[in-house]
Amino acid sequence: MTRLVRNTVILAKPEGTYGVDPTVAAGTDALLVSNLTINPINAQNVDRELLRAYMGASEQLVGTRVAEISFDVELAGSGTAGNATAWGKLLEACGYDETDAGAYITYFPLTTGLSSLWIEAYDSGAKHIISGSRGSFEIMAGQGERPVVRFSFIGLYTTPSASAVPSATLTAFQKPLVITNANSGDVTLGVTYSAGANSGGTAYPSRGLQINSGNNVVHTPLLGGEEVDITDRQVTGTVEFDLTASQEASFMAVVEANSTQTLGFTHGTTSGGIVLLYAPAVQLLNPKKVDYNGRRLIGFDLRFLPSAGNDELTIVTK
């Protein structure tokens, strides 16, 4: 029987106990994803390297193994201000904490007490369980593009099985707005953040924003204590500004002085569909000249630094 790539459903649910099935359900735990990649087994194979009276390879023994999965989730609010988004649990498994502030939901990074996910991937008749999953993400908010969060997870390996693809409920996922001038605010430097809102600062025309969570996700295969850990993070990003000549000169001085500044960005126009980003200490690095439709832009690499600790990137939905 022909197996179709589109006949795929992904389920994910936070684990109460690491690596233990929290009982996922297609009616409540399905993900609306695109750009899906599943690596069912990434193994550290061990070569036997046998000596015999003839040339030829020895078989390899399958050793330490993990499973990997990556996908895009559209960047949109929950549809109702104050309600968590359906993709918030994915941020939590990337080392972020979800806080309900009433009118808005805040996600900020953690160092300890990290969440993990139980993921079930139904791929046209094959069921892959990826337990104890932790990962990293990229926020892709480029001008003229569909905004997405690109998640990548590593988890403990389980031998796949044959299983029918369940019927998924995906109504919790909202339709996103394309990153355009009408739908998005400018990238703003020197912004002030308070109570789920950015204010002040200087807004600069740009081609949008890209942010990488920079998580160091590793598999630690201890006997009797196998786990996937997030051992560090270094949040980075890129931006391309439309600057005047005098602004370009000023920005070069900022780069030379190793200065940091706050950064803010807001996408969405109506309550329930707004996603806000805030960073308290961003360093601009590696300026580069960019030709965009014959127009001179100036690109920068971004390095997001903690200010008080566990605060280098705040994500708000409201």
Side-chain angles (χ1 to χ4, degrees):
M1 182 180 70
T2 301
R3 298 175 62 198
L4 300 178
V5 172
R6 285 194 172 275
N7 187 21
T8 299
V9 167
I10 309 297
L11 310 180
K13 186 174 183 177
E15 296 172 335
T17 301
Y18 186 81
V20 176
D21 184 1
T23 311
V24 299
T28 56
D29 303 314
L31 303 178
L32 183 61
V33 307
S34 58
N35 194 28
L36 172 68
T37 299
I38 301 171
N39 184 3
I41 180 169
N42 182 353
Q44 301 296 315
N45 294 334
V46 179
D47 201 323
R48 294 185 68 193
E49 298 183 336
L50 299 175
L51 296 178
R52 295 169 294 201
Y54 46 84
M55 294 183 182
S58 302
E59 71 266 35
Q60 292 186 331
L61 306 177
V62 177
T64 301
R65 69 210 75 172
V66 294
E68 300 169 330
I69 187 169
S70 64
F71 47 78
D72 293 350
V73 173
E74 293 173 328
L75 185 66
S78 67
T80 303
N83 287 357
T85 66
W87 47 269
K89 60 188 175 185
L90 305 178
L91 289 178
E92 292 184 86
C94 293
Y96 279 64
D97 182 67
E98 180 180 278
T99 300
D100 186 346
Y104 57 94
I105 305 294
T106 303
Y107 300 91
F108 56 87
L110 295 171
T111 295
T112 60
L114 308 186
S115 179
S116 61
L117 279 179
W118 181 282
I119 300 174
E120 294 184 4
Y122 293 82
D123 177 29
S124 194
K127 177 182 178 181
H128 302 271
I129 295 175
I130 310 173
S131 62
S133 297
R134 292 187 171 118
S136 59
F137 65 86
E138 289 183 78
I139 297 174
M140 314 295 288
Q143 185 276 329
E145 298 177 355
R146 177 184 63 130
V148 299
V149 186
R150 184 161 297 160
F151 290 99
S152 298
F153 291 102
I154 300 173
L156 306 182
Y157 172 79
T158 299
T159 302
S161 61
S163 179
V165 177
S167 178
T169 300
L170 300 168
T171 52
F173 290 85
Q174 304 300 306
K175 187 183 299 182
L177 296 173
V178 172
I179 303 289
T180 65
N181 191 51
N183 296 332
S184 311
D186 295 325
V187 176
T188 303
L189 300 179
V191 70
T192 299
Y193 171 81
S194 178
N198 288 331
S199 61
T202 302
Y204 297 92
S206 73
R207 295 186 64 195
L209 193 62
Q210 180 269 329
I211 299 175
N212 189 321
S213 69
N215 289 350
N216 185 40
V217 186
V218 296
H219 176 225
T220 307
L222 299 176
L223 301 181
E226 184 178 23
E227 191 166 337
V228 172
D229 299 310
I230 299 174
T231 59
D232 197 9
R233 66 173 176 270
Q234 295 189 15
V235 183
T236 60
T238 58
V239 68
E240 294 176 358
F241 287 125
D242 182 4
L243 303 175
T244 66
S246 60
Q247 286 174 333
E248 179 183 351
S250 297
F251 272 57
M252 295 308 130
V254 169
V255 172
E256 293 172 11
N258 307 309
S259 299
T260 64
Q261 53 199 309
T262 60
L263 179 149
F265 178 73
T266 302
H267 177 62
T269 59
T270 59
S271 178
I274 295 173
V275 179
L276 176 149
L277 307 176
Y278 171 75
V282 176
Q283 186 179 11
L284 275 61
L285 299 167
N286 306 322
K288 55 188 72 66
K289 302 281 190 176
V290 178
D291 179 347
Y292 179 57
N293 291 340
R295 190 163 184 164
R296 174 61 70 215
L297 303 185
I298 309 298
F300 297 91
D301 293 335
L302 305 175
R303 189 171 180 84
F304 293 70
L305 308 178
S307 178
N310 294 321
D311 61 353
E312 57 263 51
L313 176 65
T314 296
I315 302 170
V316 177
T317 61
K318 59 180 184 174

